[in-house]
Amino acid sequence: MINQTIIEFSGGNVPIPEVAKIMKKDKQFVRIGIQENWLPIGVAYKKEGSSEYSYYVSPKKLYEYTGYIYKE
């Protein structure tokens, strides 16, 4: 019999500095990757009239991409 563990994800945001640490990359690498859609772990949103982005990194997508389980 196979023992399967069910992982529950909060749906909360994983902070960019935490993602950078997990991936051993700098924060800008993570931000650009999300903005340009080649890092499939979340979304970047730029409000109209603003020059700054807001980021959401999905704990589930981060796990699927890296194998890391983020706990808040």
Side-chain angles (χ1 to χ4, degrees):
M1 181 175 217
I2 298 174
N3 184 10
Q4 294 184 352
T5 303
I6 297 174
I7 302 169
E8 291 187 26
F9 298 98
S10 69
N13 184 49
V14 183
I16 295 292
E18 183 77 13
V19 177
K21 182 179 171 184
I22 292 162
M23 296 183 69
K24 296 184 170 97
K25 299 291 183 186
D26 65 22
K27 292 176 277 194
Q28 194 65 7
F29 175 91
V30 175
R31 288 186 191 105
I32 297 295
I34 294 170
Q35 287 174 28
E36 296 186 358
N37 296 315
W38 48 260
L39 193 54
I41 59 172
V43 294
Y45 173 74
K46 185 175 174 184
K47 191 173 181 176
E48 190 173 324
S50 176
S51 62
E52 295 183 10
Y53 284 85
S54 292
Y55 298 91
Y56 170 75
V57 176
S58 163
K60 183 177 180 185
K61 287 184 178 183
L62 181 65
Y63 169 75
E64 291 169 348
Y65 192 76
T66 66
Y68 180 84
I69 300 171
Y70 176 72
K71 299 285 185 187
E72 292 183 71

